[in-house]
Structures are given as structure tokens and as C-alpha cells.
Amino acid sequence: MKPVPFEYERPHSLKAACQLLADDEDAVIIAGGQTLIPMLAMRLARPSRLVDISRIDGLSGIEEQTDNITVGCMTRHAEVERSPVIASHVPLLSAAMPWVGHAPIRVRGTIGGSIANADPSAEVPLVLVTLDGTITLSNATGSRTIPARSFFSGPMMTEIQPGECLTAADFPVWQHSRTGIGFREIAKRHGDFAMVAASAQVSVDATGKCIACAIGIGGVTDTPLALPELASSLVGTAFTDQSVHDAAKAATDNLSAMSDPQTSPEYRKRAATKLIADALMAARNDALETSEGVTT
Amino acid sequence: MPTVTMRVNGAQTSADVPENTLLVDYIREHLRLTGTHVGCDTSQCGACVVHIDGKSAKSCTRLATQCEGSEVLTIEGLAAPNGTLHPLQAAFKEAHGLQCGFCTPGMIMSTLDLLQTNPKPTDPEIRSWLKGNICRCTGYQNIVKAVELAADEMSGS
């Protein structure tokens, strides 16, 4: 259980890294390596060359923009987990972080790595898709930005083209004063891959009525999945346990859910219905708690 | 074959190693520091936890070349040169925080990181932190006691 031989490069510029990737289609990026190295050790991954981007300046950091927060691809999970900027502007991401692996994994693992790896059960892609964020991809000559909702094309598959490096993700910031979040996940053991995860963000007005809603699920279909129709159907309503459960059930009924030896598609859909409803109610109650003088 | 240079337990080390050498193999095979154990090789069990630049990390999930210029601390670097055990090592002995001992180096290196950031963790905080460290002798009860004992000792209460 040891990696196959490979070449190793540690470029000091993004341009050089992208050129290495463009010149060798079997080369892969290594950032934190927390998924790639076990894949190498099990010989599930057999790249010709690793391009280590960890020592390129400018790829790490959390930046406040007007309507979003930009997180550089090399930003470690642990930094995001304890960032006050993320906690106050993208609290859904803060809530998801403890579910990513274990503490020593989050010290090394990166935001860009979690997204580029495109595991259907991963938490960071789920949050980014739920909030309708964007992803920036760079190559040796320039960069482009695409919506996260069209970035994931299948399990471990993305729109990244040869010679491209994912350099940043932008998480939208909601300006409504009464906004709450809910994150729910079930896994066989904490830190294992999610069987099902649900993330929700809800804003309410002074009367407690929903004025904005986002909901997404991970681990159910072969990519992280936002449910915009479900979200918009709840805007303008006062959530009740029954109405939210019914809406969640309708949203999951026709999903093409994944199957594995432990978890049937039917189980995944039942669990998704429950977790969607729980995450939405938690988000709505969280939003109400931030609004003084509103009674439920 | 690249040359890798890093400080391990305060001593400068250097070796020519193949690119696909894991940090844990550099530590065990090249430096012959066999206190760091390999359980699963895939980041699940935590037996291989060491500190890289002051933070805990699974050394099976790190290439030696990625640690070029880093400061690495292993279980061998905890006790004083005269053999006096580190308070965490003493506490694991005192509270019987081990049975077979295979997971112990990882448990100690992992909880050392916890105590550096949270000197008086609660029982649930210790259990939560140790989710990435597996003990197959089912000795968690005494492991948690050992960490609490060490926390008291290290914070002087």
C-alpha cells in the first residue's frame, strides 16, 4: 500500500504550475494532499507527476468583497473553521467545517482541494453550491469564473480543463439582518464520508415570514445538489414542520439517488427528506433568534 | 531522487529519498524513529500523528518532500533528555490510558496539539478531538482521564 513512482515539482508561480499541468495530462495538483495521498497509497491514483502548489504566494487567504467572501484555494480548513470573518459573513461554511474529516486533517486540507476533488459527499462543495457561489479557474494565460452549480459534472469530475488550476471560491454574503443557518449530516462515524448531508440558509422578515431561502444536499446524487425550486417555494411562507416536511419530500421523490452496499437509494432519499426538513427548520429558528421582538 | 531536509525533534536531518516516500516512512525507515506507528496508511486511525510546524498532522498523509524545511516533532521528542516523561506521557501511564500501546503515540501527539490551543478541555471536547484516533483495545475511558490528568498537571491546577 505505497504510492507508485511519480515526479514531484514545487513551482513558485501559478503560471509555472499551470504550464506543468498543460504539458503533461497525467500530472495532478497536490495542495493539502489529504485525499490524494491516501488515494496514492491505495494506488487508486497513479499520476505521472505531482505539482505542489503549496508554496505559491497569493493562493491562501480570506478576503471580504462587497457581496461575497473570496477564499483562496490553499486556505486550510482549520483557518476557515476559526475565521471570525467567515463566522460572521458565511456562517453556513463555519457550521460545515467540523464535519470535514478530523482535526489533524483540517490542519492540512484546503478549501480548493475539497472543491476540486468533487466528492459528492463533501461538505465544502455542498455549502458553495447551496449558496450559489462561484469558482475561479486559472491557466497560464488568464482566468475565468464559473458558477459552482455548473462546475461539478459527476462524482470526482469537474469542468476543470487541462492546464487549469482552481485558484479561489467566492461565497455570497446575505445582507438580510435576520438570517439563520442549519447544517445536518449522517455518517457511519464522525469524519467518515457523509451518507447524506443537508445545508440551509434562511432569512425572515419582522413577522417571521421567509424572505430568502437556500437549500442543498450532499451524498445523495452524484454531485452536490442545490434545490432552488424547493427554496423558492418556501419564500413568502411561514414555515411549519408539516409544510417543510411535505415540500422536502416532494423535492426528493424523483431524485436519482446513489447506491452502495450499506446505503440503498430509498434510504438516502428518506434520510435526505428528514435532513432537509431539519436543516430548514434549524435555519429558520436560528434566523428568528436574531430578530428581537418577533414571536413564533 | 530529491534531497529532503527538515528538523526532526530539534535535530537537522537530510536524506535522498524517492518522491513517493511518505513522511511516516522517512521518519521510521530513514531516521529509524519507530515510535510513530502506521495503522491504516489512509488517514483513518491516527496512529501516525506527529507535529509539523507546531500542528498535529497524520504523517501517512504527507509526502516527505512536502515537508522540506519544516520542523517535525515525534513522540521521541517529548521526554526530557534525562528520560523524564512529558506530563502527557506520565498521565497516560498513571491513568492506564493504554493497553497494547499501538495507538498511544498518535493519541499523545494529537492531544498535545489540543492542550496547546485549549489547556483545559472538557470531556466532550477531548472526545470530539480524538475522533481521528482509533483505539482497538476500547480504552477510550482511560485515555480521556489521562488527557484530563495531563491538562491539570500542565496548567498547574
Side-chain angles (χ1 to χ4, degrees), chain A residues 4 14 23 38 82 87 127 140 145 148 191 205 220 234 246 265 285:
Chain A
V4 293
L14 181 60
D23 291 345
R82 58 170 189 262
V127 171
T145 297
D205 67 12
V220 180
L234 293 167
D246 291 347
N285 291 337

Side-chain angles (χ1 to χ4, degrees), chain A residues 41-268:
Chain A
M42 291 186 281
R43 301 202 166 190
L44 293 170
R46 293 164 168 266
S48 57
R49 184 185 302 266
L50 299 190
V51 180
D52 185 345
I53 61 168
S54 66
R55 303 199 189 186
I56 297 174
D57 286 341
L59 294 184
S60 179
I62 296 164
E63 265 181 57
E64 283 186 72
Q65 319 285 353
T66 318
D67 296 319
N68 54 59
I69 301 287
T70 304
V71 182
C73 65
M74 272 307 302
T75 312
R76 311 281 179 179
H77 295 136
E79 186 184 343
V80 171
E81 186 175 9
R82 58 170 189 262
S83 160
V85 172
I86 298 292
S88 70
H89 295 300
V90 199
L92 188 57
L93 184 58
S94 296
M97 293 320 294
W99 293 94
V100 179
H102 317 124
I105 291 175
R106 296 195 293 275
V107 168
R108 298 285 146 193
T110 66
I111 293 297
S114 277
I115 297 168
N117 189 51
D119 191 304
S121 65
E123 292 83 4
V124 176
L126 170 58
V127 171
L128 189 61
V129 161
T130 299
L131 295 177
D132 201 10
T134 60
I135 288 163
T136 301
L137 303 168
S138 300
N139 62 20
T141 56
S143 66
R144 63 188 176 117
T145 297
I146 62 172
R149 290 180 184 177
S150 53
F151 174 77
F152 300 99
S153 46
M156 330 302 278
M157 289 187 285
T158 72
E159 294 300 320
I160 298 175
Q161 299 302 308
E164 276 187 325
C165 172
L166 189 162
T167 47
D170 277 81
F171 294 82
V173 176
W174 288 14
Q175 307 297 345
H176 311 292
S177 58
R178 300 178 186 86
T179 298
I181 53 116
F183 191 92
R184 294 288 185 273
E185 176 170 322
I186 45 173
K188 287 189 275 293
R189 225 165 47 92
H190 187 103
D192 274 2
F193 297 106
M195 295 153 93
V196 178
S199 70
Q201 186 157 304
V202 171
S203 295
V204 297
D205 67 12
T207 68
K209 195 172 69 180
C210 172
I211 53 169
C213 179
I215 174 78
I217 48 174
V220 180
T221 56
D222 62 5
T223 63
L225 185 68
L227 299 167
E229 289 86 12
L230 169 59
S232 56
S233 77
L234 293 167
V235 173
T237 71
F239 287 25
T240 66
D241 286 332
Q242 190 62 48
S243 71
V244 169
H245 178 270
D246 291 347
K249 178 138 191 354
T252 54
D253 263 350
N254 295 318
L255 288 179
S256 168
M258 295 190 293
S259 176
D260 64 52
Q262 285 86 33
T263 319
S264 68
E266 292 72 29
Y267 175 83
R268 275 201 161 84

Side-chain angles (χ1 to χ4, degrees), chain A residues 1-6 8 10 30 33-34 37-38 42 50 52 55 102-105 107-108 189-190, chain B residues 19-20 22 25 40-44 52 55-58 60-63 65-66 68 129 131-132 134:
Chain A
M1 287 234 302
K2 293 291 142 130
V4 293
F6 48 76
Y8 173 87
R10 193 190 299 130
I30 184 163
Q34 299 301 289
I37 294 180
M42 291 186 281
L50 299 190
D52 185 345
R55 303 199 189 186
H102 317 124
I105 291 175
V107 168
R108 298 285 146 193
R189 225 165 47 92
H190 187 103
Chain B
E19 290 85 348
N20 58 354
L22 301 172
D25 293 329
C40 68
D41 235 347
T42 51
S43 220
Q44 317 284 315
I52 304 171
K55 299 294 291 178
S56 57
K58 303 198 180 198
C60 76
T61 307
R62 198 82 182 142
L63 298 170
T65 49
Q66 286 179 290
E68 173 66 30
W129 185 269
K131 278 171 180 164
I134 296 175

Side-chain angles (χ1 to χ4, degrees), chain A residues 16-34:
Chain A
C18 292
Q19 198 58 55
L20 285 164
L21 294 166
D23 291 345
D24 179 355
E25 65 177 19
D26 293 325
V28 298
I29 292 174
I30 184 163
Q34 299 301 289

